[in-house]
């Protein structure tokens, strides 16, 4: 900007600030680990460290470069199902067991819990069809419907090192409900059941199935009227209504959302849906 | 044009987000958490990102909202360097003073903090990052004229604050090192 009227004697400050160093590497790695846990495999951060030659099989190997190409759940959902299945199972199994050591049983379990978001129909299909590997809550049908023996609460909270510290109390208020509640071991069952429904709505939406999304939203409303993911569900409700052409209802629900969550970080999603 | 992948953005722009949060007044100890919040929102909004636009103003707008929300939580409010203690400003030129880069950055953050909030984002994007004002207006979703007038006012805020801070620093330096100023006087 050549026309800057900032006086030369003050520009030294601007220059110094522009030369601010990069974020510390350890902070970046910490953020990567926590985000991978929070956002699930769709984010492409999981086991995707290019310097971590941890891939043990072809599946993980091919998943790693492919994952970044999937910016949204939608992209994965549109992939040819064979590839998507391979990808999804690689992400869920190969990618997670990446270290290749069976002794890390708690580790994949931990990941899968917080990755409950296989957020794509493909990965759900993979989760349901894959044989052998235990799959606690990966199925979009969720803990509410899965066999009791495979539900989350059996996991000691200590098996979730990545997640708990992600939520220091100071941040709980600023954070979206899901992980905040994970620090509270007693509510994990409800939370994962809730999360499964929300994820079902999300993946339905991602494949263009607005009716399916609305069905999941409505079920969440019935079963978790005071749940921890109400804010997320409401966003999905607006998106699903908008996607099914019910503009008026979408706008009304969006307005209610704005009123209920005036500082929501998800507001831009609502706005985008209503545009 | 396809939007960049989430991972690509994380790899390439983490530092940008980090530094932006610092500039927006998030203290060091909370930057990591807030940077995560930014990327969670980025993840949600990425499908809507218009890849024909530069990515940083877009990221900035998200970081801006996250930082505002962070600061609106009462526990995160901290005393801002207040303007209501008008200090005597020594109008002597500051140009020949040497200032360490770290100290300059600390002063810069303090000066940014003194810029009125709605203007602050415009200032950081346009002045510090040298983004074209129309791009800034788009990213922050404000009319172009508003962006220009905020920038003008922000520059005034900044100049006033930076001048005050530099003067304060000089006063403190003199107090800490009376010999030197005496020598200067004798000379």
């Amino acid at each position: 900007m050549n026309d800057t009227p900032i006086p030369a004697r003050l520009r030294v400050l601007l220059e110094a600030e522009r030369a601010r160093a990069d974020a510390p590497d350890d902070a970046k790695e910490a953020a990567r680990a926590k985000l991978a846990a929070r956002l699930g495999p769709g984010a492409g951060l999981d086991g995707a460290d290019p310097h971590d030659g941890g891939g043990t099989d072809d599946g993980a190997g091919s998943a790693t470069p492919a994952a970044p190409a999937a910016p949204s759940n939608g992209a994965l959902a549109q992939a040819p199902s064979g590839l998507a299945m391979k990808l999804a199972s690689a992400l869920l199994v190969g990618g997670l067991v990446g270290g290749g050591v069976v002794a890390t049983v708690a580790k994949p379990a931990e990941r899968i819990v917080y990755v409950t978001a296989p957020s794509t129909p493909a990965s759900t299909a993979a989760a349901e069809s894959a044989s052998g590997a235990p799959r606690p809550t990966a199925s979009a049908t969720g803990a509410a419907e899965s066999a009791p023996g495979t539900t989350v609460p059996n996991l000691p909270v200590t098996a979730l090192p990545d997640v708990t510290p992600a939520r220091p109390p100071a941040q709980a208020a600023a954070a979206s409900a899901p992980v905040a509640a994970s620090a509270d071991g007693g509510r994990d069952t409800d939370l994962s059941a809730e999360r499964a429904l929300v994820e079902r709505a999300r993946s339905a939406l991602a494949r263009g199935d607005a009716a399916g999304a609305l069905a999941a939203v409505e079920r969440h409303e019935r079963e978790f009227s005071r749940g921890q993911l109400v804010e997320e569900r409401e966003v999905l409700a607006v998106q699903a209504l908008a996607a099914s052409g019910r503009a008026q209802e979408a706008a009304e629900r969006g307005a209610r959302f704005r009123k209920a969550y005036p500082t929501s970080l998800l507001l831009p999603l609502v706005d985008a849906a209503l545009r | 044009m396809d939007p960049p992948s989430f991972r690509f953005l994380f790899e390439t722009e983490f530092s940008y987000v980090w530094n932006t949060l610092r500039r927006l007044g998030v203290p060091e100890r909370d930057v990591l958490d807030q940077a995560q919040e930014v990327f969670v929102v980025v993840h949600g909004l990425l499908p809507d990102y218009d890849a024909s636009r530069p990515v940083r103003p877009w990221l900035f707008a998200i970081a801006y909202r996250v930082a505002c929300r962070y600061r609106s939580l009462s526990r995160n409010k901290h005393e801002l360097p207040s303007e209501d203690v008008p200090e005597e400003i020594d109008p002597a030129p500051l140009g020949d003073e040497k200032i360490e880069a770290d100290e300059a950055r600390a002063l810069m953050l303090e000066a940014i903090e003194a810029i009125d909030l709605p203007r602050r984002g415009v200032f950081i994007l346009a002045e510090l990052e040298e983004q074209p004002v129309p791009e800034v207006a788009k990213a922050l979703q404000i009319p172009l004229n508003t962006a220009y007038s905020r920038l003008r006012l922000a520059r005034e805020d900044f100049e006033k604050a930076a001048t005050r801070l530099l003067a304060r620093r000089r006063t403190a330096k003199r107090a800490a090192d009376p010999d030197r100023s005496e020598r200067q006087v004798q000379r």
Side-chain angles (χ1 to χ4, degrees):
Chain A
M1 197 155 290
N2 307 321
D3 61 338
T4 176
I6 301 279
R9 67 193 161 83
L10 298 180
R11 276 197 219 135
V12 60
L13 299 182
L14 284 155
E15 297 300 335
E17 180 59 36
R18 283 187 196 124
R20 181 175 283 277
D22 282 353
D25 282 348
D26 55 343
K28 186 172 181 178
E29 290 319 307
R32 183 201 307 280
K34 288 173 181 177
L35 283 166
R38 274 174 83 175
L39 298 175
L45 293 175
D46 239 347
D49 185 348
H51 310 298
D52 170 13
T56 48
D57 58 38
D58 292 348
S62 65
T64 303
S72 68
N73 300 333
L76 245 191
Q78 286 149 16
S81 67
L83 171 64
M85 296 251 298
K86 197 172 158 198
L87 255 180
S89 59
L91 281 169
L92 282 170
V93 185
L96 297 181
V97 187
V101 189
V102 184
T104 57
V105 165
K107 199 101 207 242
E110 155 213 338
R111 289 291 183 91
I112 288 172
V113 170
Y114 279 93
V115 167
T116 17
S119 52
T120 73
S123 56
T124 302
E128 283 163 355
S129 66
S131 55
R135 225 164 263 297
T137 57
S139 156
T141 44
E145 292 171 5
S146 59
T150 61
T151 49
V152 194
N154 295 337
L155 270 181
V157 173
T158 50
L160 312 170
D162 282 352
V163 175
T164 309
R167 289 303 151 139
Q171 290 308 308
S176 52
V179 194
S182 70
D184 177 354
R187 298 195 306 195
D188 274 359
T189 329
D190 277 358
L191 181 58
S192 53
E194 262 201 271
R195 183 180 279 270
L197 273 175
V198 167
E199 283 309 328
R200 183 193 290 185
R202 187 169 290 153
S203 61
L205 207 53
R207 65 173 179 265
D209 175 10
L214 278 173
V217 160
E218 280 160 18
R219 187 166 153 203
H220 186 278
E221 274 184 283
R222 281 198 306 277
E223 295 178 12
F224 301 100
S225 56
R226 298 160 60 103
Q228 300 165 62
L229 302 180
V230 172
E231 184 178 347
E232 299 187 7
R233 177 198 73 208
E234 284 306 300
V235 174
L236 287 162
V238 174
Q239 290 173 325
L241 285 169
S244 43
R246 294 155 70 176
Q248 179 68 29
E249 290 165 80
E252 285 166 12
R253 199 140 177 178
R256 284 206 300 276
F257 180 89
R258 191 179 307 280
K259 209 165 164 196
Y261 306 99
T263 64
S264 174
L265 292 175
L266 305 175
L267 267 179
L269 292 174
V270 172
D271 291 339
L274 295 176
R275 264 203 290 276
Chain B
M1 210 190 310
D2 286 336
S5 75
F6 178 73
R7 167 149 178 238
F8 178 80
L9 280 183
F10 178 83
E11 299 296 349
T12 55
E13 301 296 346
F14 184 79
S15 284
Y16 172 73
V17 166
W18 179 279
N19 286 339
T20 295
L21 289 168
R22 293 287 290 123
R23 289 167 184 162
L24 289 168
V26 177
E28 192 90 46
R29 63 172 189 279
D30 287 331
V31 181
L32 178 55
D33 285 314
Q34 296 308 308
Q36 282 177 60
E37 296 304 321
V38 170
F39 277 102
V40 168
V41 178
V42 165
H43 185 253
L45 289 179
L46 196 52
D48 294 325
Y49 165 62
D50 173 359
S52 67
R53 304 240 73 89
V55 75
R56 288 194 170 179
W58 182 74
L59 286 171
F60 182 91
I62 294 172
Y64 184 79
R65 279 195 295 268
V66 168
C68 286
R69 173 160 152 160
Y70 165 85
R71 293 164 59 105
S72 70
L73 297 175
S74 59
R75 69 170 68 87
N76 296 324
K77 286 208 175 106
H78 47 273
E79 328 71 59
L80 307 180
S82 66
E83 300 268 12
D84 48 47
V85 194
E87 298 165 39
E88 281 307 312
I89 293 179
D90 180 346
L94 306 158
D96 54 344
E97 278 174 88
K98 264 191 76 180
I99 183 165
E100 297 290 333
D102 280 347
E103 194 187 358
R105 280 191 278 272
L107 286 174
M108 186 68 200
L109 291 190
E110 227 181 302
I112 289 174
E113 192 89 338
I115 299 172
D116 260 13
L117 194 59
R119 304 170 190 166
R120 200 178 297 161
V122 178
F123 180 84
I124 296 174
L125 273 177
E127 198 64 63
L128 201 52
E129 299 186 21
E130 301 177 293
Q131 294 284 350
V133 179
E135 211 55 73
V136 174
K138 278 210 182 79
L140 299 178
Q141 298 178 345
I142 54 177
L144 186 57
N145 285 340
T146 308
Y148 276 113
S149 77
R150 282 188 189 170
L151 178 57
R152 186 173 48 78
L153 294 167
R155 283 168 173 157
E156 290 173 15
D157 288 348
F158 169 76
E159 193 177 332
K160 214 160 47 178
T163 305
R164 176 171 53 83
L165 290 168
L166 286 170
R168 184 191 69 188
R169 168 180 178 273
R170 189 168 25 176
T171 312
K173 271 231 146 97
R174 279 199 192 127
D177 189 6
D179 286 354
R180 193 171 146 253
S181 47
E182 265 170 39
R183 266 203 310 277
Q184 280 176 340
V185 169
Q186 283 162 8
R187 226 191 293 154

